[in-house]
């Protein structure tokens, strides 16, 4: 999660919402990503999607079984669905997102009946630090 926070700070420096994600397999970092929808002119360029894309390239397959994705904010609905589709084993996130979260904030995508893959989800890891980074960004933008 510390590496995901570093990536989030990089997104902040680039003027993006500060969210970072790291994909890990067997205690080895496979890939990372930071938010870049603004700079990339791409509404899908969330940190999780960037990490999943890089991980798929690194492993030579879109199926990312036996991986854990660490992300500084609860994944949104789009990212949660992509995580299921990629067959990530576990998601560990920092801050909860009551406005757009796909792991229970708005809807629990991971708990939907009928999905062909189950993802273990753990939230609240370094939540205070992750949340403070996001709150600082939005407070600065609103002032």
């Amino acid at each position: 999660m510390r590496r995901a926070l570093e990536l989030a700070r990089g997104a902040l420096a680039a003027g993006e919402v500060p969210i970072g994600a790291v994909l890990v397999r067997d205690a080895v970092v496979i890939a990372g990503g930071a938010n870049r929808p603004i700079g990339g002119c791409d509404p899908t360029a969330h940190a999780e999607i960037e990490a999943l894309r890089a991980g798929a390239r690194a492993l030579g397959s879109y199926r990312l079984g036996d991986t854990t994705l660490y992300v500084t904010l609860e994944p949104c609905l789009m990212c949660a669905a992509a995580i299921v589709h990629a067959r990530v084993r576990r998601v560990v996130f920092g801050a909860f997102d009551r406005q757009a979260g796909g792991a229970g904030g708005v809807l629990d995508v991971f708990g939907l009946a009928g999905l062909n893959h189950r993802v273990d989800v753990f939230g609240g890891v370094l939540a205070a630090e992750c949340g403070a980074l996001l709150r600082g960004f939005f407070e600065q933008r609103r002032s």
Side-chain angles (χ1 to χ4, degrees):
M1 187 62 80
R2 293 272 177 218
R3 177 66 182 131
L5 275 163
E6 290 174 18
L7 291 169
R9 288 185 190 100
L12 176 65
E16 302 279 356
V17 176
I19 301 170
V22 176
L23 188 67
V24 174
R25 179 186 270 174
D26 297 327
V28 175
V29 173
I30 302 297
N35 252 22
R36 58 175 212 87
I38 298 167
C41 296
D42 180 356
T44 69
H46 290 193
E48 300 94 322
I49 300 298
E50 295 296 298
L52 293 175
R53 287 175 178 159
R57 283 189 301 272
L59 297 175
S61 174
Y62 80 93
R63 292 188 176 197
L64 304 173
D66 296 324
T67 61
T68 298
L69 183 69
Y70 294 87
V71 59
T72 58
L73 180 66
E74 178 182 347
C76 71
L77 302 174
M78 173 187 71
C79 291
I83 290 163
V84 170
H85 186 68
R87 293 169 176 78
V88 171
R89 174 176 284 177
R90 181 176 299 110
V91 172
V92 178
F93 67 87
F96 289 85
D97 187 350
R98 301 289 179 223
Q99 295 180 330
V106 172
L107 178 72
D108 183 4
V109 172
F110 301 109
L112 291 174
L115 294 178
N116 65 346
H117 178 72
R118 292 286 167 216
V119 178
D120 295 327
V121 181
F122 303 94
V125 175
L126 298 180
E129 191 171 345
C130 294
L133 186 61
L134 286 159
R135 275 189 305 280
F137 171 80
F138 286 112
E139 286 170 2
Q140 184 177 15
R141 299 276 291 213
R142 291 180 185 126
S143 61

